[in-house]
Amino acid sequence: MPRFNFEKNLDHQTRAVESIVAVFDGLDIERLVGFGSQHINPIINKEAGYRYISNIRSIQQKNGIEGTVKENSNIIDIMMETGTGKTYTYTKTIFELNRVYGIFKFVIIVPTLAIKAGAISFLTSESAIEHFKEQYGKVINLHVVESQKNNKNKKNTFPSAVIRFVEAGNFEKDQIQVMIINAGMINSDTMNKSYDKTLLDKYSNPFDAIASVRPFLIIDEPHRFAQENKTWRNIQKMNPQFTIRYGATFRETENLVYRLTAADAFNKNLIKGVIGHIIEFENGKNAIVKFFDSDGKEASFELIENGIRRACKLAKKESLEKIHPAMTNLFIEKLNKSEVVLSNGLELKKGDKINPYSYAETLQEIMIKKAIRKHFELERQLLTREVKIKPLTLFFIDNIDEYRNENGYIRNTVEKYIKVEAEKLLKEETNEFYKEYLEKTLQNISQTHGGYFSKDNIEKDEEIEQEINEILHDKEAILDLNNPRRFIFSKWTLREGWDNPNVFQICKLRSSGSEISKLQEVGRGLRLPVNEYGNRVKDEQFYLNYFVDFTENDFVEKLINEINEKSGALSFEKVPEKLDENMIKKICEIYNIEEERLLEELDSNNVITRTNKFKEKGFEYIKRKFPLIFDGVSPSKVRKETEKNKKIQVRTEKYSHLKELWEKINQKVILEYKIENEKDFKDIFVEFLKEHAGNMIHGGVVNREVKVNMENNYATAGEEITIKESELVKISVMRYDEFLIHLSRALNANIKTLHEAFVEADIDINQYLNVSTIRTLKHKFDNYLLKNAIAKFAIEYHKVTSEVHPTKLTDREGNVRGEIDASDIGMLYSEDKVADNYLFEELFYDSELEKENIKSNVKEVVVFTKIPKNSIKIPVSGGKSYSPDFAYVLNFEDGRKKLYFIVETKNADSDSLRDEEIQKIKHAEKFFDDTVKIKFVTQYNNQKITDLINKIYNEGI
C-alpha cells in the first residue's frame, strides 16, 4: 500500500503544539557567538520579567486548565491520551520550536527499549520524514544512544551517538539534531563514567558534554520518571533549558498547558471505541489459584474452588496440573523467595491470583474460534467497501512453542478456524475483490498469520525475520491488500511502544496475573484506522473488539472507571453516594441556576437528604433533569458485547418523503475554485493583502549576541553586544525565501506568485518573517476565500463517485434501515414524546435546542429528521465544511409541491457567526444548484424552530 499520509492540522495535535510554542512568546533569546557557540542552542531566558508566568497562565485559561503556575520550574506538561498521536505531536513540537526560536538540539527520553524502538521506527519512517520535510524543509538527524560492548584491547571512548550529537553545529541548516535515549541507558555505566579521551577537548563525561549544548528535553511516559529517583537525578545532569513532558498519565503535573483527557478522546471519536467480549466457561467461574509463599525451593499455592480450599507445594519443573487438572502443560520455570516464573513467562509475586481455566485448551479454543469468526465478519464489511480498510487481529498467548512449532496446538487451532471461516464466506461471496482475497487465503493459510516474541531475536529464520519486519517495522507492508497476513501473535512483547492503526481486535489468551492499567491493555488497538491509500479514516465510529475470559468479567467496568477517574469526569453509569461540590458547581454553571435554588428544588422533589446524600432514585433524577453535566466516557463508546449498542427505531414508512433530499445531500463531492491562471490568483491575493495590511498580528522576540567564555568546562555568557532593539511587534526570525516556501505550502500557492503579490501590494513583508505571520495570513485568507468565493470568483462541485449508498440511514441497495445507532443521533436521552412527523421513534439529542426541535409538532411538516453525525459534510471555501443538523420536508401549495428546509443549530445566542454562516449557506445553495427547491437556515439558541418554519413557509420560494 502507499505510505501513511499524516494529517497536518488535526485540531488536538495543533493545539498541543501551539500551546508549547506560545509559552516562549516574547521571551529574550540569546544567540551565542564566539568559539564553540555553533554547537550550542539559542538560550531562552525565562527569568527576565513575568512574561514566562503570564504566558503559561493565559494558555491555561484559554485551554480551560485550572492550576497554579510554578514560576521556578522549567517543566512544561502536555497531557494526551494513548492513541491520539503523542509521538507525532512531540515531533511536530521539535520542528516548530526550531522554526520559531531556532532551537536545534533536542533529547528525547523514553522509559523502555520497546518504546524507544517504536519512536525510532516513527522518526526514521519514510512517511514521517517526507511529511515533515514537506512542511518545514528540514529533516531530523537522529542519534541513538546504545550500550557499548566492552573491548579490553581498546581504550574506552565516548558513546558515538553523544559525540555526533554534541559536535553537530547550527551550520547544518537543513537538519535538526535529536538524540534519543532510554532510562536504562541514562543509568548505565556508559553514560555515568569518565572516559580517557575527552570530547571537544573538555568533557570526559557524557552528561557534561550534553549539558554544554543546553538542550531541550522531550520526556515520553512521564509517570515512569519519578523525581525522587536516580533516573531523574541523572536527567538533570544534562542541564536542560526546558523539559517538555508528553504523557497520558502523570504522577503530578507542572505547568500543564494542554490536556486531552481519555474521556474526550473517546467521546470526540479521536480513537476507536471498545467492545469487551467476555468469553464464558461453565466450570471454574469462581476458581482461584493463589501464590502465597515460597522458601526458594518450593512455592506454596492455594486452590479455592466451589468454596473448598486446598493447599499445595510445588518445586522447580513441577507441573501445575498437581494443583488443578485444567492447568496442563504448565510448570514452574524458576522461583525464589518472592517470585515464581511459570513456563509460559507469567511472573507471579506473593498474593497474585490466577484462574486455572485460563490455561485450559478448551477455553483457548472457544476464544480463538470467536475471535476469528468476528474477524472475518468485520473483514468482509471493510474489504467490500469502495475504499477498503484492512483489519488486523492481535493475539496475546502463553506458550510460544504451541504457536511456533509446526504441529503446535495454537497454530493448528488457528489455521483450522481460518480455513472454516474462509471457506464458508467463499461459498456465498459476490464481491470480486474479496472473493480473490479469500481464495488467496486458502492457497496458503500459514501466510495469514505471523508472530513476534523476544526469543525470535536469537533464533534466525528467514520466514520469521520477514514476519517480524512486517509486524515491527513495515506497517505499510502488513496493511497491503496483496498481503494475506492479518493475524498477529505475541506474548506481552507488543504491549508498549508498538501499535498499528488497523488493529481492530485483541484476543487475550492469557491471565494477566497482577493488576495493570486497562487503558494500557487496550492501547495497542485504539488508533483510528487508515484506508488502502494510507489516509486516516475519521468520520465513522470504529470499535476495538477486546476478548478476555470470564476471570475478567469486570473488565469493561474497570476500563470505564479508569477513563473517568483519569479524566476527572462525572460518570453517567457510576452511582455516587451523595451530591458533591463538583456536581453542584457543574449544574449551576451549565444550567445557569443559583446553588440555593438548586438545593431547594432537589429537596422538594425528594432527591437528596439534608446532608446531600441521594435518596432512592435521586441520582436518576439528576441524570434525567441535568444530563449535560456528565462528561464521562459515553456508554456507547465502551461497552460489553452483550450490552448491544443502543439503537433508535426508524419510522420507515416516512422515509419515502425524505428520499429525494437524503440522496442529494449524501452525494460525495469535491470543491474546485474556478481561478483560471496565476494572474487571477495573484489579483485575489493582492486585494486580500491590501484589505488586511493594517491588521497583522505579531509576536515579539528580542535577539542579543553574547560573547561565550569557557569556565570550568562550561560555556558561560560574557560581554553582551546588543544587535537589535527590543521591537516586540515587528520581528523576523526567518529568511525571506524560507518564509515564502512555508507560506506557499500553507496556502497551496506558487512561490513566485506570492512574491509578486507582496511587491504589488507594496507591503514590506521582510519585517514580519515569522511563523505567526504565516498562521495569521492563512487564517485570514481562508476566511477571505469563504467570504468572497461566490461574489468575486466561481466555484464548482464535482462528484467523486456516482454511488450514494450505503449511508447512515440506508443499506447498499438504498433501502431504509429499520434502526441505527442511537449515538449517531444524540448522546442524551429523554422519555418525552417526539413529534408525530419525526423520522425516529425515540428522543436522543445533544443539546436542549435539539430536544425542543424534536418535540415540536408543526402541521405543515410532512417529515423531519435529525441528520446522523458525520454523515454529511458539504465542503466550502477556505477548507471549511457545512454540516447541517436537521432536514425538513414541508407541504407547499396544498401538497402540490414539496419545500425542503435544512437547519444548522448553533448552541449560542450571539449573532457573531452570522457572516460565516451566510457564506456557508451560499455554498450549500451552489451545491444543490437549483436541482432541488430548498431553503437553508441557521438556528440560534434564542430562536424557536416553529417560528423559523412559519417564516419560510409564508415566504415560499
Side-chain angles (χ1 to χ4, degrees):
M1 68 175 290
R3 294 199 300 260
F4 285 1
N5 298 316
F6 298 108
E7 293 182 75
K8 296 177 184 176
N9 297 306
L10 289 178
D11 181 64
H12 65 284
Q13 295 172 348
T14 300
R15 287 178 61 195
V17 174
E18 288 180 346
S19 296
I20 288 292
V21 173
V23 167
F24 310 109
D25 183 38
L27 300 184
D28 288 2
I29 295 182
E30 301 172 359
R31 302 184 187 278
L32 307 179
V33 295
F35 178 74
S37 63
Q38 70 271 24
H39 306 299
I40 305 170
N41 267 330
I43 309 301
I44 297 181
N45 182 8
K46 71 180 180 65
E47 306 299 337
Y50 297 97
R51 189 64 182 261
Y52 176 70
I53 301 167
S54 63
N55 282 351
I56 293 174
R57 188 169 288 123
S58 64
I59 297 164
Q60 288 178 335
Q61 289 173 351
K62 179 182 176 183
N63 291 333
I65 296 170
E66 295 181 2
T68 58
V69 178
K70 295 188 176 181
E71 57 187 276
N72 295 321
S73 173
N74 66 347
I75 297 172
I76 306 158
D77 288 338
I78 297 286
M79 184 182 289
M80 293 178 69
E81 194 45 61
T82 302
T84 57
K86 253 192 303 119
T87 307
Y88 175 94
T89 306
Y90 72 60
T91 304
K92 187 164 185 173
T93 302
I94 287 170
F95 278 96
E96 282 292 312
L97 289 174
N98 173 262
R99 181 166 77 170
V100 180
Y101 304 112
I103 307 301
F104 68 99
K105 288 196 175 181
F106 297 84
V107 179
I108 298 173
I109 301 173
V110 297
T112 65
L113 287 171
I115 294 175
K116 180 180 177 184
I120 292 170
S121 178
F122 172 82
L123 292 167
T124 57
S125 69
E126 286 186 38
S127 301
I129 291 170
E130 289 303 316
H131 173 78
F132 289 112
K133 188 175 181 181
E134 179 193 349
Q135 291 182 76
Y136 297 94
K138 293 188 178 185
V139 296
I140 283 176
N141 187 11
L142 191 63
H143 310 276
V144 182
V145 182
E146 296 178 305
S147 60
Q148 299 184 111
K149 295 179 181 178
N150 288 327
N151 190 333
K152 295 180 180 178
N153 299 322
K154 290 186 178 179
K155 284 187 175 182
N156 287 331
T157 57
F158 255 70
S160 58
V162 176
I163 294 174
R164 292 193 303 272
F165 176 71
V166 172
E167 290 185 342
N170 56 13
F171 42 78
E172 298 171 275
K173 298 294 184 185
D174 61 343
Q175 294 184 357
I176 302 172
Q177 308 302 326
V178 176
M179 189 176 80
I180 186 166
I181 186 169
N182 58 290
M185 277 305 306
I186 286 175
N187 296 326
S188 69
D189 186 53
T190 299
M191 292 296 293
N192 285 277
K193 69 181 180 182
S194 294
Y195 289 87
D196 302 330
K197 189 175 180 180
T198 60
L199 183 57
L200 298 179
D201 295 325
K202 296 178 183 66
Y203 309 109
S204 59
N205 174 266
F207 285 129
D208 291 341
I210 296 167
S212 72
V213 304
R214 301 305 313 278
F216 269 52
L217 301 193
I218 306 280
I219 293 184
D220 193 7
E221 303 279 0
H223 66 287
R224 306 279 196 95
F225 298 91
Q227 295 191 18
E228 63 271 14
N229 288 353
K230 173 185 175 184
T231 307
W232 186 261
R233 292 194 295 272
N234 283 334
I235 288 172
Q236 298 315 301
K237 293 178 183 177
M238 298 186 199
N239 192 27
Q241 287 193 61
F242 294 92
T243 299
I244 306 169
R245 304 189 300 183
Y246 280 84
T249 304
F250 289 79
R251 292 168 181 262
E252 185 181 350
T253 60
E254 289 191 29
N255 294 333
L256 179 67
V257 293
Y258 180 75
R259 175 175 56 209
L260 177 68
T261 67
D264 286 340
F266 278 103
N267 292 340
K268 293 177 180 178
N269 279 1
L270 300 177
I271 52 180
K272 297 186 188 91
V274 178
I275 297 176
H277 296 254
I278 316 299
I279 309 302
E280 297 286 349
F281 193 71
E282 284 306 312
N283 298 314
K285 288 185 181 178
N286 299 313
I288 291 293
V289 172
K290 180 181 179 181
F291 167 49
F292 67 89
D293 200 10
S294 174
D295 61 6
K297 295 180 180 179
E298 286 185 317
S300 298
F301 294 88
E302 183 180 41
L303 170 67
I304 307 169
E305 187 170 23
N306 298 324
I308 300 171
R309 294 173 178 265
R310 183 170 66 86
C312 182
K313 290 187 177 183
L314 297 179
K316 187 176 178 181
K317 298 300 180 183
E318 276 197 272
S319 173
L320 272 74
E321 197 170 358
K322 186 176 175 182
I323 304 173
H324 196 288
M327 302 177 82
T328 56
N329 300 319
L330 191 65
F331 56 87
I332 294 180
E333 184 74 49
K334 293 187 292 186
L335 78 160
N336 56 36
K337 290 185 177 182
S338 61
E339 185 178 76
V340 167
V341 180
L342 304 183
S343 57
N344 61 12
L346 185 65
E347 297 177 1
L348 297 179
K349 294 181 171 55
K350 287 182 181 180
D352 281 348
K353 302 170 185 177
I354 56 175
N355 185 285
Y357 293 94
S358 292
Y359 302 92
E361 290 180 350
T362 52
L363 180 62
Q364 285 192 341
E365 186 160 348
I366 292 169
M367 294 181 73
I368 290 169
K369 178 178 170 182
K370 289 194 174 185
I372 289 175
R373 180 178 297 161
K374 188 67 180 177
H375 175 95
F376 277 98
E377 178 187 316
L378 183 65
E379 181 178 274
R380 187 186 178 281
Q381 293 173 15
L382 297 175
L383 289 184
T384 56
R385 295 159 57 126
E386 185 178 6
V387 179
K388 298 166 181 58
I389 299 171
K390 179 181 174 181
L392 305 177
T393 292
L394 174 61
F395 289 87
F396 287 126
I397 64 174
D398 290 316
N399 194 317
I400 299 172
D401 293 334
E402 292 293 353
Y403 172 73
R404 277 284 180 231
N405 291 347
E406 194 170 329
N407 296 313
Y409 164 74
I410 292 177
R411 186 185 191 93
N412 288 341
T413 303
V414 165
E415 293 188 352
K416 177 176 75 173
Y417 286 114
I418 291 174
K419 185 172 185 289
V420 167
E421 295 298 328
E423 286 178 343
K424 184 169 68 176
L425 282 172
L426 192 56
K427 287 177 184 177
E428 300 177 356
E429 188 52 58
T430 57
N431 181 279
E432 285 302 317
F433 170 82
Y434 193 49
K435 202 171 178 180
E436 287 180 20
Y437 193 69
L438 291 172
E439 288 169 350
K440 185 184 292 185
T441 295
L442 291 168
Q443 286 169 11
N444 190 346
I445 291 178
S446 67
Q447 292 295 309
T448 64
H449 58 85
Y452 172 65
F453 310 93
S454 54
K455 77 177 212 175
D456 290 334
N457 296 322
I458 303 170
E459 300 174 4
K460 295 297 180 183
D461 180 286
E462 192 172 323
E463 283 192 15
I464 290 177
E465 284 185 358
Q466 183 181 344
E467 288 177 22
I468 293 170
N469 184 59
E470 285 183 9
I471 293 168
L472 288 187
H473 308 300
D474 198 346
K475 293 178 185 178
E476 287 93 344
I478 203 168
L479 295 182
D480 194 298
L481 295 179
N482 293 314
N483 185 349
R485 197 182 325 276
R486 64 264 223 195
F487 300 101
I488 302 172
F489 291 80
S490 183
K491 273 195 171 181
W492 285 123
T493 318
L494 294 178
R495 195 173 67 187
E496 60 177 21
W498 178 92
D499 64 76
N500 188 300
N502 285 28
V503 170
F504 277 83
Q505 299 199 134
I506 296 176
C507 183
K508 186 176 157 191
L509 296 175
R510 58 173 297 166
S511 176
S512 298
S514 57
E515 282 291 311
I516 63 170
S517 162
K518 300 305 174 191
L519 258 177
Q520 186 181 1
E521 284 193 34
V522 301
R524 301 311 98 212
L526 288 183
R527 291 187 188 279
L528 292 180
V530 297
N531 61 27
E532 61 183 303
Y533 302 114
N535 297 320
R536 181 173 174 265
V537 185
K538 60 184 178 181
D539 291 334
E540 298 180 47
Q541 175 65 68
F542 295 104
Y543 287 95
L544 169 71
N545 293 311
Y546 200 82
F547 296 82
V548 294
D549 66 38
F550 57 84
T551 63
E552 296 189 65
N553 59 12
D554 60 351
F555 173 83
V556 170
E557 289 81 2
K558 285 185 174 180
L559 177 58
I560 289 172
N561 288 338
E562 184 180 341
I563 292 168
N564 289 334
E565 285 171 11
K566 275 190 66 179
S567 306
L570 288 178
S571 171
F572 204 75
E573 303 296 312
K574 193 175 180 181
V575 180
E577 182 182 349
K578 64 183 295 185
L579 181 76
D580 61 24
E581 290 299 320
N582 186 32
M583 216 176 292
I584 293 171
K585 180 182 176 185
K586 287 197 170 188
I587 292 172
C588 293
E589 286 179 355
I590 294 172
Y591 289 90
N592 194 25
I593 183 173
E594 293 179 1
E595 182 176 335
E596 186 176 345
R597 191 176 134 214
L598 169 66
L599 295 176
E600 285 175 0
E601 176 187 336
L602 298 181
D603 187 42
S604 62
N605 283 283
N606 211 27
V607 175
I608 56 174
T609 67
R610 293 301 170 118
T611 57
N612 285 358
K613 287 188 177 180
F614 283 115
K615 294 182 179 181
E616 186 179 357
K617 295 188 177 180
F619 187 58
E620 293 301 314
Y621 179 92
I622 297 291
K623 285 164 51 171
R624 187 173 64 255
K625 189 72 185 293
F626 307 110
L628 298 179
I629 71 167
F630 296 98
D631 49 4
V633 64
S634 164
S636 67
K637 302 298 183 183
V638 181
R639 60 183 173 85
K640 287 184 179 179
E641 189 268 338
T642 51
E643 298 168 356
K644 297 299 181 185
N645 211 1
K646 288 180 182 176
K647 299 288 183 179
I648 185 170
Q649 302 301 310
V650 180
R651 293 167 167 171
T652 53
E653 73 279 3
K654 297 183 181 295
Y655 176 71
S656 60
H657 299 290
L658 188 68
K659 184 174 185 291
E660 181 185 15
L661 176 61
W662 184 253
E663 291 184 345
K664 179 63 182 176
I665 60 180
N666 272 278
Q667 287 181 356
K668 296 170 179 64
V669 300
I670 57 172
L671 173 71
E672 180 185 6
Y673 299 121
K674 300 300 288 182
I675 300 173
E676 297 298 328
N677 50 49
E678 286 297 321
K679 182 182 182 304
D680 288 350
F681 177 83
K682 185 183 74 173
D683 291 344
I684 292 168
F685 194 62
V686 167
E687 188 173 337
F688 157 75
L689 289 173
K690 288 180 176 178
E691 187 176 314
H692 292 84
N695 299 314
M696 300 241 182
I697 300 173
H698 319 289
V701 176
V702 178
N703 284 292
R704 290 186 243 166
E705 279 193 6
V706 179
K707 192 72 176 174
V708 174
N709 298 317
M710 294 297 175
E711 297 177 9
N712 299 321
N713 292 335
Y714 283 92
T716 60
E719 180 185 356
E720 182 177 295
I721 309 166
T722 302
I723 60 168
K724 184 172 173 59
E725 294 296 321
S726 299
E727 294 180 88
L728 298 180
V729 176
K730 299 175 181 178
I731 64 162
S732 289
V733 294
M734 309 166 79
R735 298 191 313 273
Y736 179 59
D737 61 332
E738 184 185 4
F739 174 84
L740 286 179
I741 289 170
H742 290 309
L743 183 62
S744 71
R745 288 171 183 156
L747 301 182
N748 291 315
N750 183 283
I751 293 175
K752 183 181 177 184
T753 303
L754 293 176
H755 166 67
E756 290 174 353
F758 284 124
V759 173
E760 192 170 323
D762 196 25
I763 292 178
D764 186 7
I765 198 66
N766 288 302
Q767 299 182 75
Y768 311 114
L769 304 181
N770 59 72
V771 70
S772 295
T773 302
I774 293 172
R775 287 200 188 105
T776 301
L777 285 172
K778 175 171 172 50
H779 173 70
K780 290 191 174 183
F781 190 57
D782 283 347
N783 288 335
Y784 182 83
L785 289 176
L786 176 63
K787 183 178 178 181
N788 295 282
I790 305 295
K792 296 192 177 180
F793 56 90
I795 60 168
E796 283 187 5
Y797 286 98
H798 298 284
K799 287 186 185 180
V800 294
T801 175
S802 59
E803 291 187 20
V804 172
H805 306 287
T807 69
K808 290 286 181 76
L809 289 180
T810 58
D811 61 20
R812 289 178 183 278
E813 285 70 45
N815 301 314
V816 64
R817 302 178 192 271
E819 61 181 18
I820 68 171
D821 287 344
S823 60
D824 281 337
I825 299 300
M827 303 307 298
L828 305 174
Y829 173 73
S830 170
E831 293 179 355
D832 292 354
K833 187 178 183 299
V834 302
D836 295 334
N837 41 21
Y838 185 49
L839 185 67
F840 301 106
E841 293 279 5
E842 298 92 12
L843 208 173
F844 285 87
Y845 64 100
D846 287 317
S847 70
E848 289 298 316
L849 186 60
E850 290 183 359
K851 182 180 177 181
E852 291 307 310
N853 286 359
I854 293 168
K855 289 166 59 179
S856 298
N857 272 301
V858 183
K859 66 177 183 178
E860 291 83 5
V861 174
V862 180
V863 63
F864 75 100
T865 183
K866 174 133 188 266
I867 297 172
K869 294 172 186 173
N870 298 318
S871 59
I872 296 170
K873 285 189 176 180
I874 300 172
V876 302
S877 299
K880 304 176 189 293
S881 63
Y882 177 67
S883 299
D885 299 297
F886 286 89
Y888 288 79
V889 180
L890 309 183
N891 263 332
F892 191 58
E893 291 188 5
D894 299 323
R896 292 193 301 273
K897 289 184 180 179
K898 281 182 182 176
L899 184 151
Y900 293 130
F901 181 48
I902 298 290
V903 179
E904 182 180 21
T905 59
K906 292 290 181 184
N907 200 29
D909 297 328
S910 172
D911 288 354
S912 60
L913 296 175
R914 282 194 185 273
D915 285 345
E916 182 174 318
E917 298 310 314
I918 289 169
Q919 296 305 322
K920 285 184 177 181
I921 287 172
K922 286 182 178 179
H923 280 72
E925 289 169 345
K926 179 73 176 176
F927 170 77
F928 284 95
D929 199 24
D930 295 328
T931 56
V932 177
K933 295 296 182 184
I934 193 164
K935 269 289 187 182
F936 297 88
V937 170
T938 301
Q939 180 190 12
Y940 294 91
N941 230 0
N942 53 353
Q943 295 175 310
K944 290 184 178 180
I945 193 66
T946 50
D947 295 337
L948 294 175
I949 290 174
N950 287 331
K951 182 181 178 184
I952 293 296
Y953 187 81
N954 292 327
E955 288 176 355
I957 293 185

